[in-house]
Amino acid sequence: MILREFSKYLQENKEKNSVNLLNEWLIERLTKPSLCKVDNVIKTELYYAKNSNGKTLIIGKSDTGRTLLNALYNFSLSFEQYKMAKFLHNKKSNDFKK
């Protein structure tokens, strides 16, 4: 359920880095009022802090929150690898020669 929502967000913003998108998506979900069960779970399991420089830190409130954050991070990395594999699949070895 959460991965489905996050994957929709990733597909809408393919040109950006997936890990940065994860941070943006989570902050958006944590700062706005809950609209669905996904928002409720994220707000229950995760916490974010912001320092004076505007940098954010997102942590899990419990073991399940840390597991959720780790799963989302790994999913965003796999999406980056998918994008790179798709890019390389369309290339030929001659494309990389000088």
Side-chain angles (χ1 to χ4, degrees), residues 4-84:
R4 185 175 350 147
E5 291 294 319
F6 181 54
S7 68
K8 286 179 190 175
Y9 186 76
L10 285 175
Q11 290 172 358
E12 293 169 359
N13 300 288
K14 286 182 183 179
E15 65 281 348
K16 295 182 182 178
N17 182 292
S18 300
V19 176
N20 292 339
L21 286 173
L22 172 62
N23 190 43
E24 291 174 15
W25 185 74
L26 286 174
I27 290 171
E28 181 181 316
R29 295 291 176 139
L30 288 167
T31 56
K32 293 185 178 178
S34 297
L35 300 175
C36 60
K37 291 180 183 180
V38 171
D39 294 341
N40 291 337
V41 171
I42 289 173
K43 285 184 178 188
T44 301
E45 297 296 337
L46 301 177
Y47 175 78
Y48 90 101
K50 190 173 188 178
N51 68 10
S52 59
N53 294 333
K55 303 287 184 182
T56 57
L57 172 70
I58 300 174
I59 58 172
K61 293 179 181 178
S62 63
D63 286 338
T64 55
R66 288 185 282 279
T67 302
L68 171 63
L69 191 57
N70 191 32
L72 288 169
Y73 178 73
N74 288 334
F75 185 78
S76 64
L77 288 178
S78 69
F79 190 74
E80 276 300 309
Q81 291 172 351
Y82 165 76
K83 289 191 309 188
M84 180 57 76

